[in-house]
Amino acid sequence: MDMAARLVFRSGEKIDLTAVEFNLLEVLLRNAGELVPREELIQTVLGRSPYPYDRSVDVHVSKLRKKLGHEASGMERIKTIRSVGYLYTVAPQSEMTVSL
């Protein structure tokens, strides 16, 4: 992930993300290995307060998974913590190459 140029690469190939998908990935990567509550993602990424039955973040996560690939290093890349939020999984140190 190249923050300055707002570019994302997977296996050397550029992945086209929308602004919302890029911002969502940035928040998840900055908190890699930690649970990020849905409400926080809605406020931070979408810039608004959550409302009942709001599924917009879930849709953006689904699209992000399709673009990045659901798994990395044999692990689920973005885990859903049901009714709570999302967690970007952390690969063993030798396999992780993320720079922000």
Side-chain angles (χ1 to χ4, degrees), residues 3-100:
M3 291 298 300
R6 293 187 62 86
L7 298 173
V8 174
F9 296 88
R10 183 187 71 207
S11 302
E13 184 179 328
K14 182 178 173 254
I15 305 296
D16 292 321
L17 299 180
T18 66
V20 170
E21 292 165 348
F22 185 91
N23 294 341
L24 177 60
L25 180 60
E26 178 186 1
V27 171
L28 291 172
L29 285 175
R30 287 190 187 278
N31 295 284
E34 299 175 14
L35 172 70
V36 182
R38 290 179 75 256
E39 291 78 16
E40 181 180 329
L41 289 172
I42 292 169
Q43 291 172 349
T44 305
V45 175
L46 301 178
R48 61 177 172 76
S49 297
Y51 54 86
Y53 310 109
D54 188 349
R55 304 293 298 180
S56 55
V57 166
D58 306 320
V59 172
H60 290 294
V61 168
S62 176
K63 290 179 180 182
L64 192 55
R65 282 178 175 144
K66 287 178 185 174
K67 291 180 179 184
L68 295 177
H70 193 69
E71 291 188 356
S73 302
M75 297 175 12
E76 186 176 8
R77 188 183 304 269
I78 302 171
K79 287 187 178 183
T80 300
I81 310 302
R82 192 172 178 165
S83 301
V84 181
Y86 294 94
L87 178 130
Y88 195 96
T89 57
V90 178
Q93 200 66 344
S94 63
E95 297 176 20
M96 190 170 157
T97 57
V98 174
S99 58
L100 299 176

